[in-house]
Amino acid sequence: MISFTKKLSTKFHFLVNNWHALDIIFQSPCLLCDAITLNKSAICKSCLADLEWNVTFCKQCSLPMNSESCKELICGECLSSPPPFKTCVAPFNYSFPINSIIYRVKSSGEQYWLKSLGLEFCRYL
Ligand SMILES: [Zn+2]
Ligand SMILES: [Zn+2]
């Protein structure tokens, strides 16, 4: 007779002693390209590298700016009509696929995107 508890014990023993095997269990397809990823963010490294990160921006409103020579610039809008906040953080430019993801979260309630983008936001900070 096969012991059910013996089987579970053997599987648990295997997982504990081969913890890296858990990566196989928790791998998931990238949300953007369907490639298998082991990232916690569920967006593969290739897609993360392709995202349009906000590198040069207004230090007050985070509007993307063209100048890479000075990172302490304030845009004309903030100079002429200062917003009621001192700073804003925007890790990505509002372009594809970020604009599409934001639209899907807002219109369709696809909140699973928020975990991935939240992790990247934390890394950006
Ligand atoms: Zn991907
Ligand atoms: Zn600004």
Side-chain angles (χ1 to χ4, degrees):
M1 180 175 181
I2 298 172
S3 169
F4 184 68
T5 54
K6 176 76 174 164
K7 270 183 130 180
L8 279 178
S9 174
T10 303
K11 283 186 179 181
F12 183 74
H13 185 263
F14 172 79
L15 290 174
V16 167
N17 291 319
N18 300 289
W19 64 270
H20 57 277
L22 292 173
D23 288 346
I24 296 169
I25 295 170
F26 294 115
Q27 67 185 5
S28 59
C30 171
L31 291 173
L32 295 172
C33 73
D34 280 341
I36 296 299
T37 179
L38 299 176
N39 288 351
K40 288 180 181 174
S41 72
I43 298 176
C44 74
K45 289 180 180 177
S46 176
C47 288
L48 283 174
D50 287 345
L51 292 177
E52 198 172 320
W53 293 84
N54 196 8
V55 179
T56 55
F57 49 86
C58 168
K59 75 174 192 177
Q60 191 159 1
C61 73
S62 286
L63 183 77
M65 297 176 72
N66 291 332
S67 175
E68 291 189 28
S69 59
C70 182
K71 302 221 181 233
E72 296 295 319
L73 292 176
I74 295 179
C75 72
E77 185 77 26
C78 288
L79 287 172
S80 64
S81 178
F85 50 84
K86 289 202 179 259
T87 190
C88 172
V89 178
F92 306 106
N93 290 339
Y94 193 71
S95 60
F96 185 81
I98 295 298
N99 58 356
S100 176
I101 291 169
I102 291 171
Y103 175 78
R104 292 168 77 160
V105 170
K106 288 172 132 181
S107 66
S108 304
E110 297 178 18
Q111 296 187 356
Y112 54 87
W113 289 100
L114 298 178
K115 179 183 175 190
S116 297
L117 292 180
L119 285 170
E120 297 313 317
F121 185 79
C122 289
R123 286 190 190 116
Y124 182 83
L125 288 176

